[in-house]
Amino acid sequence: MLITHDTRCALDTVVDLVNSTPEDDTTPEGLPDVAALQEFVRQHQVSEVGVLTEWDLAAVRKIRGRFSAVFASPDAHAAAGLINELIAAAGTTPRLTNHDGYDWHVHYFAPGASVADHLAADCGMALAFFVVAGEQERLRRCEAPDCRHAFVDLSRNRSRRYCDSRTCGNRLHVAAYRARRKEAAG
């Protein structure tokens, strides 16, 4: 599956957006205020965003929950329905653009769109490409029992199981190794 630069950026953005959701009452909100949303927009180089407000923060948190549901979808039909709702509500308006040193690419948000509509359109279309390609199963949640972060499995053989092999993957492998050694020692 060919993934263009702008699609990859949108995938990274939607994963980070979904993972900003508090996992439970003990984890902090990843987007606690407008300043955090501004930093998120800056880090992900979200273009054509004006002054952000509390309204924008609430709208982004709302679509974040809808994107989270896409990663939890049991099948392509369910994912497609959620994605269709997101991009339709965003007033998707495909247009070619070349800005900030990037070659021609497609923006799906309407000019002057809110940051929530911008994210819903561009990130929704990036996820839609996976459903269209029959690759919806690549939109996953970490299999570590204490982590449910979202990620996109871009491995060749669709074998990635953890959001980060250095943390979640290594932690589980070390725990399994120690359990085997303890059992062998007996």
Side-chain angles (χ1 to χ4, degrees), residues 2 6 26 29 36 39 51 62 68-69 72-73 77 80 96 109 116 134 144 156 175 181:
L2 175 66
D6 52 313
T26 64
E29 167 63 61
E39 180 61 17
V51 175
K62 183 176 178 182
S68 186
S73 293
H77 282 332
L96 286 168
F109 60 93
R156 279 187 189 199
R181 284 195 48 156

Side-chain angles (χ1 to χ4, degrees), residues 2-176:
L2 175 66
I3 299 174
T4 61
H5 171 77
D6 52 313
T7 299
R8 180 59 194 254
C9 290
L11 290 172
D12 291 343
T13 301
V14 73
V15 164
D16 287 348
L17 180 63
V18 168
N19 291 338
S20 73
T21 307
E23 292 181 33
D24 54 37
D25 293 338
T26 64
T27 56
E29 167 63 61
L31 294 174
D33 53 31
V34 174
L37 179 58
Q38 288 170 328
E39 180 61 17
F40 181 88
V41 165
R42 186 195 66 73
Q43 283 182 344
H44 291 282
Q45 300 178 344
V46 180
S47 61
E48 300 181 39
V49 174
V51 175
L52 299 174
T53 66
E54 289 291 332
W55 183 91
D56 292 305
L57 179 62
V60 168
R61 285 179 179 167
K62 183 176 178 182
I63 64 157
R64 176 180 69 180
R66 307 213 40 191
F67 277 127
S68 186
V70 172
F71 281 87
S73 293
D75 57 43
H77 282 332
L82 292 165
I83 293 167
N84 282 340
E85 289 173 15
L86 276 162
I87 60 177
T92 306
T93 307
R95 61 190 164 98
L96 286 168
T97 184
N98 65 342
H99 61 86
D100 299 330
Y102 295 107
D103 206 358
W104 290 104
H105 59 282
V106 180
H107 279 188
Y108 295 96
F109 60 93
S114 71
V115 68
D117 285 346
H118 178 140
L119 293 172
D122 277 359
C123 295
M125 288 303 298
L127 296 177
F129 295 142
F130 278 80
V131 175
V132 168
E135 301 283 350
Q136 183 261 335
E137 74 276 0
R138 289 183 182 267
L139 308 177
R140 297 189 175 165
R141 291 288 189 163
C142 185
E143 291 183 19
D146 59 341
C147 177
R148 297 302 300 151
H149 279 155
F151 68 94
V152 178
D153 179 5
L154 297 178
S155 66
R156 279 187 189 199
N157 61 357
R158 299 175 189 90
S159 62
R160 188 170 158 197
R161 297 174 49 207
Y162 307 109
C163 64
D164 185 347
S165 60
R166 287 191 197 144
T167 54
C168 291
N170 279 350
R171 194 167 18 90
L172 288 175
H173 290 117
V174 167

